[in-house]
Amino acid sequence: MRDRIYCHVVWTTRDRARLLDTGLATFLCRFLRSVAHQERAHILEIGMVATHVHVLIRLSPVTSIPRLMQRLKGASSVIARRERHSTTGQELQWSKGYSIQSVSPRSL
């Protein structure tokens, strides 16, 4: 049977700065999916605006949420800065923390 553990996760840029441009959005969509897969999770949907990210994710029972989030946020900002993915030249910085809520399969 397939695991049905779904969560909606939201995190913001530092000081809600309008940092997420098209270059960063393109990079983040690809990067976040790759990291989730490595952590035995699957991203179903990603939504972004200039100041924050929404992710609908299916977790494995063995997925460590703190480790997953550290990799999604921490690694993405480091690599985005190093590889200069921003089309406006701004450096990606995330605020501390995130919001996570469980989602029932019926609500999908």
Side-chain angles (χ1 to χ4, degrees):
M1 180 174 187
R2 177 177 278 194
D3 303 314
R4 298 186 325 159
I5 304 169
Y6 301 101
C7 293
H8 175 221
V9 186
V10 181
W11 65 93
T12 64
T13 58
R14 182 173 289 165
D15 300 324
R16 287 200 173 254
R18 300 179 62 79
L19 300 177
L20 301 178
D21 56 31
T22 56
L24 285 171
T26 301
F27 162 73
L28 286 170
C29 283
R30 192 175 59 251
F31 181 82
L32 298 177
R33 289 180 193 282
S34 174
V35 168
H37 180 74
Q38 292 168 15
E39 294 297 323
R40 301 190 65 181
H42 178 73
I43 292 180
L44 302 171
E45 293 291 337
I46 299 174
M48 272 183 249
V49 294
T51 61
H52 61 279
V53 176
H54 291 260
V55 176
L56 179 61
I57 192 165
R58 186 180 72 232
L59 302 173
S60 163
V62 298
T63 301
S64 166
I65 294 172
R67 177 180 162 81
L68 172 65
M69 294 309 301
Q70 191 282 324
R71 290 196 62 208
L72 292 177
K73 291 176 59 185
S76 67
S77 65
V78 169
I79 293 171
R81 278 183 266 160
R82 182 177 357 146
E83 296 179 359
R84 301 175 195 237
H85 286 283
S86 174
T87 56
T88 59
Q90 296 187 22
E91 289 189 352
L92 179 59
Q93 295 181 325
W94 300 117
S95 65
K96 292 183 180 179
Y98 52 90
S99 169
I100 186 167
Q101 296 180 339
S102 62
V103 177
S104 73
R106 285 187 192 175
S107 297
L108 295 176

